[in-house]
Amino acid sequence: MGTILSTQAVSKRFGDVIALDDVSLEIREGEFFTIVGPSGSGKSTLLRILAGLETPAAGRVHLRNADITDVPANRRPTCMVFQNLALFSHRSVGENIEFSQKMKGVPPHERREHALDMMRIVRLPESYYGRRVTHCSGGEQQRVALARALASDPEILFFDEPLSSIDYRLRKILEVEMKDLHRRTGKTFVYITHSLEEAMVMSDRIAIMKSGRIVQSGTPTDIYYRPTNRFVAEFMGEVNVFELAGGQIAELGIAVPAGAAGCLAVRPEFLRKLGDGERADVRFPATVANDYMLGSRTHYHLDTGKRILVAEVAAGKAAEITVGAKAEWGFDLSDAALLDE
Amino acid sequence: MNGRAKPLFDSLQAAWLLLVLVLLYIPMISVALASLSNTRYMLFPHRTWTTDAYADALAGYTTGALHLTSLRIALLVVVISVVLASFGALAFARFDWRGRRAFQRFLVLPLFFPQPVLGLALLVYFTALGITPSWQTAAFAHLVWIVPVVTLVISIRLYNYDVLQEDAAFDLGATRLQVLREVTLPALAPGIVSGALFAFLLSWSNLPLSVFTSGADTTLPEWLYSRTATNYSPMVPAIAVIATAVSAMVVIAAALGLSLARGRDGAGTTS
């Protein structure tokens, strides 16, 4: 799996706002790569630069070994699915899907065959061919946008938060379909979202952006369990962060060999109630302040007297924990991640 | 029974519609009737019915000159206002620039000026600049008032236009020219057609601005007004009818052209 698309120290500013600050990344052939970040983190600008709809102020963009920084979008073998889909509203489903081929001068009957193939891939019924896109439902429009992008036979498909305005249930279905589509087409997908969940479900690798910079990239597992800084740890879901000072967890007064400064991040599922004589690297007494049933698991808020921690327990083990009970809790350092800030 | 009541109802409905139309159009019809007389006084029914006024109007030099002046002004106004308004409307739809809202307000400000005041202001302005008023200055005056209107008309038709469609088309491999032809112009077209019609009709029928700014050239409304006030003859309504017919022909031609263009576009895109 070689690198298909990469950026080297790309920067971009809009007036006084720095949208991208020295961004370098490598996207591998055939992977599902997701860029996650809060709004305003520069991820949309980065995607537009990758697609050729925007040019960087500094830095280069390479497609395999070719410098494509100054190649405009219409001459790049890539295609984008926009956040609002940007379907051609005065055209039919078929005309939307055939657009790229029509621009190339492909004869009508060939275009039609190709469009129907694309509709099969995204599971749109053939009867939708002549329908106006404005008469399609939200989910159907998503499929039209996907088919339109696929019809140009791009090497890389970009997605700019296409599921953000869709209701939860349909989004879940489309997430699965998207991952499935990635597998079936074997194309490189570059996806941006502000939703951690979406990123975790679909991606092979994730890059996390904050204020125009990539703060960490890696597999979903890496990023979830081995965050390198507090922003990533907190962005990727519930986490307990302990500040370190002088080789100790400051608030608990427990020495840790991990490091002298920084923070220690522990996911809720690694906090456990300790039985008699059960050992843990870090242990502390806490009262169960409240419980939150989440279906297959339960979240408990633990009051240590100084602050509230979050622990997650699988449904089967929840019976032994009662709200208001004081007990010894703890975690192992091998399950904790050391953060640099 | 139903079968018998239905045609009756239909014909009543048709009669009612006809009545409304007749009431709306009676003033115009009376102008047409006035043109068929040979007296300077409006008496009805006429003692003699004649088309002499039309013969005079068509034979005289005035009719053609008046139409030529008004037509020149109107066409110039249509072309310039549609070009300026299209760019203006696109700028609003595409970009969020500094001063956008302020510009939007200043743009429509001329509409709130009473037209005679605007005409007087422009005449003072032309005189100060040493420009002799003529049909060109009248066209300029019309533009001051009509460009805002046309910009509004085109903007309204562009209101739901998603400019990302242009990015999408470009990303799908279209050239800049293809984006213009396939996405931008189809979105602009209805606005351009209605804007052009508005521009033509507003200029064609404008009196207050022309009175102040046309100098030695006389437009149709100016002539109709002055000859109605003094020196009236049946030639006045005759020329009014001819002028109405000319503008109606322009509107019909535009509508035909539009439906032809639509038909061709439809045939082209469904294939």
Side-chain angles (χ1 to χ4, degrees):
Chain A
M1 272 215 315
T3 300
I4 185 166
L5 189 65
S6 62
T7 65
Q8 289 81 34
V10 160
S11 295
K12 177 85 180 176
R13 52 166 61 224
F14 296 107
D16 301 335
V17 184
I18 296 168
L20 291 176
D21 184 12
D22 197 22
V23 172
S24 299
L25 58 80
E26 287 194 358
I27 294 162
R28 296 176 194 147
E29 188 113 38
E31 76 176 337
F32 198 128
F33 187 87
T34 302
I35 301 164
V36 202
S39 48
S41 57
K43 55 192 191 307
S44 281
T45 307
L46 178 58
L47 199 70
R48 286 178 66 86
I49 286 175
L50 293 177
L53 292 167
E54 204 93 61
T55 44
R60 310 308 295 172
V61 181
H62 281 85
L63 181 73
R64 300 209 174 79
N65 292 318
D67 187 330
I68 56 160
T69 316
D70 300 313
V71 177
N74 61 348
R75 288 196 277 119
R76 290 190 188 188
T78 61
C79 196
M80 170 120 107
V81 176
F82 291 80
Q83 180 163 20
N84 67 352
L85 306 181
L87 294 175
F88 304 126
S89 49
H90 60 287
R91 290 166 191 261
S92 69
V93 169
E95 286 161 9
N96 263 276
I97 299 173
E98 288 172 13
F99 187 84
S100 57
Q101 296 219 304
K102 188 182 174 195
M103 295 304 100
K104 277 188 217 150
V106 176
H109 63 278
E110 266 178 56
R111 294 201 310 246
R112 191 189 151 92
E113 283 309 308
H114 189 64
L116 291 173
D117 284 345
M118 294 303 124
M119 288 171 69
R120 270 189 287 282
I121 291 178
V122 300
R123 305 204 165 99
L124 264 179
E126 206 167 295
S127 60
Y128 276 64
Y129 182 83
R131 191 171 294 199
R132 290 187 74 92
V133 286
T134 43
H135 295 171
C136 293
S137 72
E140 288 157 6
Q141 291 186 350
Q142 290 282 339
R143 293 189 171 94
V144 176
L146 266 172
R148 182 179 73 173
L150 284 170
S152 67
D153 196 24
E155 291 188 53
I156 306 173
L157 271 153
F158 297 115
F159 298 88
D160 185 0
E161 303 200 43
L163 303 184
S164 62
S165 58
I166 286 191
D167 68 82
Y168 184 81
R169 276 192 51 180
L170 183 57
R171 196 164 69 226
K172 289 286 140 200
I173 295 170
L174 290 171
E175 277 173 12
V176 172
E177 280 189 14
M178 197 85 88
K179 190 162 183 172
D180 180 46
L181 186 72
H182 174 245
R183 186 141 299 154
R184 280 185 289 142
T185 57
K187 293 184 186 297
T188 307
F189 279 29
V190 180
Y191 194 97
I192 72 172
T193 176
H194 58 263
S195 157
L196 145 85
E197 244 185 294
E198 231 170 274
M200 301 276 274
V201 170
M202 297 189 291
S203 325
D204 295 319
R205 285 196 310 139
I206 296 175
I208 312 248
M209 284 193 78
K210 181 199 176 189
S211 317
R213 288 174 157 272
I214 289 180
V215 286
Q216 191 178 350
S217 58
T219 64
T221 322
D222 273 349
I223 288 191
Y224 186 76
Y225 291 113
R226 298 274 165 244
T228 56
N229 66 56
R230 192 166 185 154
F231 173 78
V232 174
E234 288 177 348
F235 191 74
M236 297 301 283
E238 295 256 31
V239 69
N240 300 295
V241 178
F242 299 96
E243 307 225 347
L244 299 179
Q248 289 193 327
I249 295 178
E251 64 187 279
L252 300 173
I254 298 167
V256 286
C263 294
L264 211 54
V266 188
R267 293 283 173 205
E269 56 269 37
F270 293 125
L271 284 189
R272 61 181 196 276
K273 188 182 169 197
L274 301 176
D276 289 338
E278 187 178 347
R279 64 160 300 280
D281 294 343
V282 175
R283 54 190 301 150
F284 52 88
T287 313
V288 178
N290 223 332
D291 60 345
Y292 304 91
M293 172 65 185
L294 300 174
S296 61
R297 60 212 198 281
T298 306
H299 273 184
Y300 293 97
H301 277 185
L302 307 177
D303 188 351
T304 65
K306 290 192 178 115
R307 61 184 287 203
I308 300 289
L309 300 173
V310 183
E312 182 179 302
V313 176
K317 293 184 181 172
E320 49 192 271
I321 298 163
T322 46
V323 174
K326 190 162 184 160
E328 285 286 304
W329 290 74
F331 61 89
D332 291 323
L333 288 174
S334 58
D335 292 331
L338 187 66
L339 311 179
D340 55 16
E341 57 184 84
Chain B
M1 188 181 126
N2 216 356
R4 228 179 300 149
K6 193 98 186 10
L8 179 70
F9 178 76
D10 280 352
S11 52
L12 273 176
Q13 199 178 29
W16 170 249
L17 268 176
L18 196 68
L19 185 69
V20 169
L21 285 175
V22 165
L23 284 173
L24 269 175
Y25 283 88
I26 270 181
M28 271 176 267
I29 291 166
S30 45
V31 170
L33 290 174
S35 69
L36 296 171
S37 150
N38 62 354
T39 65
R40 298 181 48 197
Y41 307 100
M42 306 237 194
L43 289 171
F44 199 79
H46 303 316
R47 253 168 245 145
T48 40
W49 292 82
T50 166
T51 55
D52 285 356
Y54 286 93
D56 290 349
L58 291 175
Y61 164 77
T62 327
T63 318
L66 291 173
H67 276 83
L68 199 62
T69 308
S70 278
L71 208 57
R72 272 200 291 211
I73 296 175
L75 290 182
L76 194 63
V77 166
V78 165
V79 171
I80 296 178
S81 65
V82 163
V83 170
L84 288 180
S86 298
F87 285 123
L90 271 181
F92 279 123
R94 271 191 191 150
F95 308 114
D96 194 5
W97 29 282
R98 201 188 313 209
R100 183 173 183 264
R101 301 192 125 247
F103 182 73
Q104 208 163 10
R105 287 189 191 137
F106 275 108
L107 185 75
V108 294
L109 209 56
L111 294 183
F112 293 93
F113 263 71
Q115 285 192 55
V117 179
L118 191 63
L120 178 63
L122 283 163
L123 177 61
V124 171
Y125 170 70
F126 293 138
T127 315
L129 288 177
I131 297 169
T132 315
S134 65
W135 68 270
Q136 287 105 325
T137 51
F140 184 87
H142 287 193
L143 281 170
V144 171
W145 200 75
I146 289 170
V147 168
V149 178
V150 179
T151 309
L152 283 180
V153 168
I154 298 182
S155 291
I156 289 164
R157 301 301 288 260
L158 270 186
Y159 187 74
N160 283 322
Y161 177 54
D162 172 19
V163 289
L164 277 180
Q165 287 182 28
E166 294 176 4
D167 276 353
F170 187 59
D171 189 43
L172 285 164
T175 61
R176 291 280 176 210
L177 200 67
Q178 284 174 320
V179 172
L180 186 72
R181 205 181 57 212
E182 300 283 337
V183 180
T184 317
L185 281 182
L188 269 176
I192 287 180
V193 171
S194 21
L197 277 179
F198 263 98
F200 179 82
L201 294 174
L202 288 175
S203 168
W204 187 253
S205 62
N206 187 283
L207 174 65
L209 290 168
S210 302
V211 163
F212 285 95
T213 54
S214 67
D217 294 326
T218 310
T219 67
L220 273 166
E222 279 182 273
W223 186 87
L224 291 176
Y225 171 72
S226 67
R227 284 296 295 269
T228 308
T230 58
N231 204 8
Y232 174 84
S233 78
M235 204 168 100
V236 175
I239 289 185
V241 168
I242 294 171
T244 309
V246 169
S247 72
M249 270 169 359
V250 170
V251 172
I252 290 168
L256 275 180
L258 184 67
S259 67
L260 273 181
R262 276 208 189 115
R264 207 188 47 204
D265 186 44
T269 45
T270 47
S271 65

